[in-house]
């Protein structure tokens, strides 16, 4: 983007590619073009080695075994494979899934598809801070439960669920546990063994990697997760996911994880400071503004605010210098208020006033200062306008 492009504050939707990631990918679009499944010659061998290096980096990041990582086209596909794959292999009598209301549509819509096929799906509510209640999970567990799906960090409000505690409950009940970690993988440290996670979905394009690649971690230690493939073909990825591997994308994914694991601590510290600066400097000027979701257990890059009395779409359109969004990229195509904001207990009107500002690696403090100025002045203008409307109506 050019120097007068809007300030990019939509990093929860997708992140720009890190130039170092692109650099690592380029040779695999040029001279290193081999098929990772063609092992009879150097071209294929080189590609295979690059894929296996990325797999090792990703496995290490999760404290998983190399053979437990299955490459997919992204987190959506990984989640579909996990839910449909586990349900297809579930023993007779197991026909119940537990999930929660603020999940990404990749989880909720896949569960809805299974419900149509006769599965029993429990969707737990969250409290006003966005947390699912551990006791609700315990209460909902039954003989028939095959799977629990709870996300790590929420994509709209950045709230971080207590995955380790939920993992314990699942283990005690011998139920598979799926975690959608699209917003946290690479950014927060995750240990699938310690946290008792059986299945975990991740995506490259949320951590400065390329779009079109992600992975599913599948626990292959005892007790192994039995998973039915959803794509059949050449038997790639140990039979879990057939299809020629997109070598350049996988190399980019590995590089993105490598960089994230190195810069994570410092980067999160910087993001926390910028995040809190935005929250503080907006809520101190506009005291009616509400921070959506817990402030304490929240991703360092996420700000989500309700501007009571203001329509979020109008506010976003007026702020020409800022690229941000209402809730998730997936639901902003329609004008239904966010299911996540509504789950916090807000009515439709308040939910329609929610705006997400999500920060990333390439945001500077100067950009954050400029953004705060523009947000505050635009909100002031809209409040003035609405109060003058009120006067006219009186
Ligand atoms: C982005 C996202 C997804 C979907 O990931 P893709 O790789 O784009 O398919 C799923 N869940 C969450 C929480 C996300 O943020």
């Amino acid at each position: 983007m050019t120097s007068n492009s809007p300030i990019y504050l939509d990093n929860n939707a997708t992140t720009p590619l890190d130039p170092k990631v692109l650099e690592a990918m380029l040779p695999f679009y040029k001279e290193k073009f081999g098929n990772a499944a063609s092992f009879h010659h150097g071209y294929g061998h080189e590609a295979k080695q690059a894929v296996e290096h990325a797999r090792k980096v990703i496995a290490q990041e999760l404290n998983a075994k190399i053979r437990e990582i299955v490459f997919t086209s992204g987190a959506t596909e990984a989640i579909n494979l996990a839910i449909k794959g586990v349900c297809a292999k579930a023993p007779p009598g197991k026909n119940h899934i537990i999930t929660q209301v603020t999940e990404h549509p990749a989880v909720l819509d896949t569960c809805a598809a299974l419900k149509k096929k006769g599965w029993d799906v429990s969707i737990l509510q969250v409290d006003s801070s966005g947390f699912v209640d551990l006791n609700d999970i315990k209460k909902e567990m039954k003989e028939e439960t095959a799977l629990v799906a709870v996300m790590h960090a929420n994509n709209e409000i950045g709230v971080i669920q207590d995955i380790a505690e939920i993992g314990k409950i699942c283990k005690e009940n011998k139920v598979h546990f799926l975690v959608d970690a699209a917003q946290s993988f690479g950014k927060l440290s995750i240990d699938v063994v310690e946290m008792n996670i059986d299945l975990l979905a991740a995506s490259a394009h949320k951590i400065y990697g390329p779009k079109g690649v992600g992975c599913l971690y599948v626990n292959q230690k005892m007790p192994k997760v039995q998973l039915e493939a959803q794509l059949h073909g050449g038997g790639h990825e140990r039979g879990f996911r057939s299809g020629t591997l997109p070598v350049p994308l996988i190399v980019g994914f590995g590089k993105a994880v490598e960089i994230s694991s190195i810069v994570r601590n410092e980067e999160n510290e910087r993001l926390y400071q910028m995040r809190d600066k935005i929250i503080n400097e907006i809520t101190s000027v506009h005291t009616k503004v509400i921070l959506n979701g817990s402030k304490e257990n929240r991703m360092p890059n996420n700000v989500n605010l309700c501007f009571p009395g203001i329509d979020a779409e109008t506010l976003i359109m007026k702020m020409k210098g800022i690229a941000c969004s209402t809730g998730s990229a997936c639901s902003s195509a329609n004008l239904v208020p966010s299911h996540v904001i509504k789950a916090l207990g807000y009515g439709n009107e308040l939910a329609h006033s929610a705006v997400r500002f999500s920060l990333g690696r390439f945001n500077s403090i100067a950009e954050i200062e400029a953004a705060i100025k523009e947000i505050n002045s635009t909100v002031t203008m809209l409040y003035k306008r609405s109060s003058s409307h009120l006067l006219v109506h009186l």
Side-chain angles (χ1 to χ4, degrees):
M1 296 289 278
T2 57
S3 58
N4 41 17
S5 311
I7 299 164
Y8 188 71
L9 297 182
D10 205 12
N11 288 275
N12 283 153
T14 194
T15 48
L17 199 63
D18 189 309
K20 290 191 203 115
V21 169
L22 179 61
E23 205 179 300
M25 292 168 65
L26 285 175
F28 294 89
Y29 279 119
K30 296 182 193 163
E31 66 277 9
K32 301 184 181 187
F33 58 82
N35 184 326
S38 298
F39 47 82
H40 292 297
H41 50 68
Y43 297 97
H45 197 69
E46 192 172 47
K48 168 88 174 160
Q49 270 188 326
V51 165
E52 294 315 312
H53 174 72
R55 197 188 305 277
K56 188 172 160 194
V57 168
I58 291 163
Q60 277 172 351
E61 172 69 17
L62 291 168
N63 189 25
K65 304 277 183 219
I66 291 168
R67 67 175 197 284
E68 295 176 317
I69 304 301
V70 176
F71 286 114
T72 64
S73 62
T76 300
E77 189 196 326
I79 291 163
N80 271 264
L81 172 58
I83 299 177
K84 293 173 187 167
V86 162
C87 291
K89 283 277 173 104
K94 295 266 185 194
N95 67 348
H96 177 229
I97 305 172
I98 302 173
T99 186
Q100 59 92 28
V101 66
T102 68
E103 292 293 312
H104 189 275
V107 169
L108 292 176
D109 292 357
T110 305
C111 287
L114 282 164
K115 192 171 172 164
K116 270 192 187 160
K117 293 189 170 171
W119 277 71
D120 179 13
V121 180
S122 302
I123 302 178
L124 303 176
Q125 294 303 310
V126 293
D127 65 17
S128 59
S129 300
F131 297 109
V132 64
D133 187 333
L134 302 182
N135 284 321
D136 288 349
I137 298 178
K138 284 181 197 158
K139 273 187 248 159
E140 211 58 34
M141 286 281 188
K142 44 188 181 184
E143 270 306 300
E144 294 81 14
T145 309
L147 181 71
V148 170
V150 176
M151 71 200 319
H152 194 191
N154 185 272
N155 48 303
E156 294 190 35
I157 54 177
V159 166
I160 302 165
Q161 303 288 347
D162 193 347
I163 293 304
E165 284 304 313
I166 299 169
K168 257 187 220 161
I169 299 169
C170 293
K171 191 178 178 164
E172 280 163 15
N173 288 275
K174 297 192 172 65
V175 168
H176 290 324
F177 182 29
L178 163 65
V179 176
D180 173 359
Q183 290 292 342
S184 60
F185 177 68
K187 299 175 190 158
L188 303 180
S189 86
I190 300 174
D191 183 322
V192 290
V193 177
E194 217 164 81
M195 296 165 120
N196 289 307
I197 299 169
D198 296 304
L199 298 135
L200 179 140
S203 184
H205 77 95
K206 304 282 172 74
I207 51 167
Y208 315 95
K211 291 165 186 61
V213 68
C215 69
L216 180 67
Y217 151 78
V218 186
N219 185 2
Q220 293 296 287
K221 298 170 282 288
M222 298 310 279
K224 259 187 187 186
V225 173
Q226 300 296 326
L227 194 69
E228 183 155 299
Q230 301 298 305
L231 285 181
H232 302 93
H236 308 75
E237 298 298 273
R238 307 179 63 249
F240 286 134
R241 201 277 191 183
S242 286
T244 301
L245 293 175
V247 178
L249 301 182
I250 291 171
V251 167
F253 189 13
K255 186 71 185 176
V257 174
E258 220 162 64
I259 297 171
S260 289
S261 69
I262 295 167
V263 304
R264 174 162 61 218
N265 291 345
E266 215 176 304
E267 186 163 290
N268 283 346
E269 195 46 50
R270 218 171 62 84
L271 291 170
Y272 270 124
Q273 284 174 14
M274 297 201 290
R275 180 197 77 178
D276 288 351
K277 187 175 170 69
I278 297 180
I279 296 170
N280 295 339
E281 294 186 17
I282 293 175
T283 55
S284 63
V285 172
H286 298 288
T287 51
K288 282 188 286 183
V289 171
I290 306 161
L291 176 68
N292 300 318
S294 161
K295 188 169 181 191
E296 290 72 37
N297 275 305
R298 185 188 197 93
M299 288 301 286
N301 72 332
N302 175 285
V303 178
N304 190 310
L305 301 169
C306 271
F307 297 88
I310 289 178
D311 173 51
E313 301 284 334
T314 310
L315 174 57
I316 290 171
M317 300 263 272
K318 295 272 178 212
M319 299 188 294
K320 299 265 185 271
I322 304 173
C324 61
S325 68
T326 63
S328 70
C330 312
S331 60
S332 54
N334 47 46
L335 290 174
V336 181
S338 149
H339 73 287
V340 175
I341 304 297
K342 288 212 67 179
L344 302 177
Y346 300 161
N348 273 343
E349 197 179 317
L350 203 49
H352 269 303
S353 78
V355 180
R356 178 183 71 184
F357 306 96
S358 48
L359 321 178
R361 180 173 298 165
F362 301 108
N363 287 128
S364 65
I365 189 75
E367 282 183 324
I368 299 307
E369 280 164 359
I372 292 170
K373 242 188 192 166
E374 180 161 0
I375 298 164
N376 272 339
S377 62
T378 312
V379 171
T380 301
M381 186 266 288
L382 288 173
Y383 274 141
K384 268 201 190 129
R385 190 198 271 185
S386 68
S387 65
S388 67
H389 274 302
L390 276 182
L391 285 178
V392 171
H393 289 303
L394 282 173

